[in-house]
Amino acid sequence: HIEEYLSSDRDRRNWEASNALPFHTDTADLVLMLCIRSAPFGGLSQLASARTAHDLMLAEAPDLLAELYRPFPQAPGRAIAGRPWTEIPVFAVAANGDFAMRHVRWHVEKSQRNTNAPRLTARQIEAMDTLDEILGRPGIALDMDMQAGDLQLFHNSEIVHARTEFTGTPSGLGRLLLRIWLSFAESPELTADYQQLFGATAAGSFRGGVWPTGFIPPRLGLPVHGGSPSRAENERISGSTSPKITAM
């Protein structure tokens, strides 16, 4: 769940604090959020088109857009192939033409605490600044005042999301959302850069999410089906003591 507190303490994860949460993407193909409790003031959910931001950069700053197609170091908060950082471009186009965006600026900045991670260049920082400026322009994002019972579902490779600053009540009951990360059969193919973080890159496969160190979800990389799992899939995951993974 996503429960936010009236604090901007650096030790809290970004989505737990009450300060504004910048535009970003998650580690999933679909993001579903259910509002249980809204904030009394502020806390608007914001959605923006990744393709719109991309095309505006292409028109206004193509040289900086080219920077965003190059790998950026990121520290997602868990070990990736034995190290605390990986490299993924902000924009990527797979061999079949599928488009994807991965933008979590605080993960990029956090990577710089690791002395072995590549250093950000001035051009990379300028490119991220330009992208964030475009996403923050009036008319780019859709603002949603989510109330209790409202449900939000969006395509994570095509939509970036953010949240405005909010205030709550003295009782300490802050804004509360339930979040689910999902895989779906029509998800895009991802480039090889995504393999370490998402666990699989094939279109329409189970991938993404967060799992314990050393654990591999039994369906990771398998095709997503609309119905029940096939006999082969059941045989593959039989003997596992973990629950069947239907959403990540």
Side-chain angles (χ1 to χ4, degrees), residues 1-22 24 39 41-44 106 162-168 172-177 179:
H1 69 279
I2 303 174
E3 184 164 15
E4 290 142 335
Y5 305 87
L6 304 181
S7 169
S8 57
D9 190 333
R10 180 180 175 182
D11 290 335
R12 290 196 184 279
R13 286 169 288 187
N14 289 54
W15 45 263
E16 289 182 315
S18 58
N19 52 293
L21 189 61
H24 64 283
F41 303 100
L44 294 178
W106 64 86
R163 186 211 63 223
T164 64
E165 184 178 6
F166 72 90
T167 58
L173 291 177
R175 181 175 179 267
L176 173 62
L177 278 71
R179 177 180 63 189

Side-chain angles (χ1 to χ4, degrees), residues 85-158:
W85 56 274
T86 187
E87 292 183 87
I88 301 177
V90 174
F91 293 115
V93 176
N96 67 349
D98 284 349
F99 170 88
M101 180 181 187
R102 169 74 183 176
H103 182 48
V104 191
R105 183 160 184 167
W106 64 86
H107 284 181
V108 174
E109 293 170 345
K110 185 180 176 182
S111 74
Q112 300 302 281
R113 302 178 192 175
N114 298 285
T115 56
N116 292 328
R119 299 297 91 185
L120 292 172
T121 68
R123 293 288 287 171
Q124 286 179 312
I125 294 172
E126 185 181 2
M128 289 192 295
D129 287 343
T130 301
L131 175 60
D132 288 337
E133 185 276 322
I134 288 173
L135 289 169
R137 290 178 186 176
I140 295 297
L142 171 68
D143 291 346
M144 301 180 67
D145 185 11
M146 294 184 68
Q147 299 297 312
D150 287 346
L151 192 68
Q152 186 183 78
L153 177 67
F154 56 88
H155 191 321
N156 188 61
S157 291
E158 297 278 353

Side-chain angles (χ1 to χ4, degrees), residues 5 18 64 70 75 78 87 160-161 175 181 187 195 225:
Y5 305 87
S18 58
L64 293 177
R70 299 186 177 100
R78 60 183 174 90
E87 292 183 87
V160 289
H161 59 290
R175 181 175 179 267
W181 286 345
S187 65
Q195 177 67 40
H225 298 294

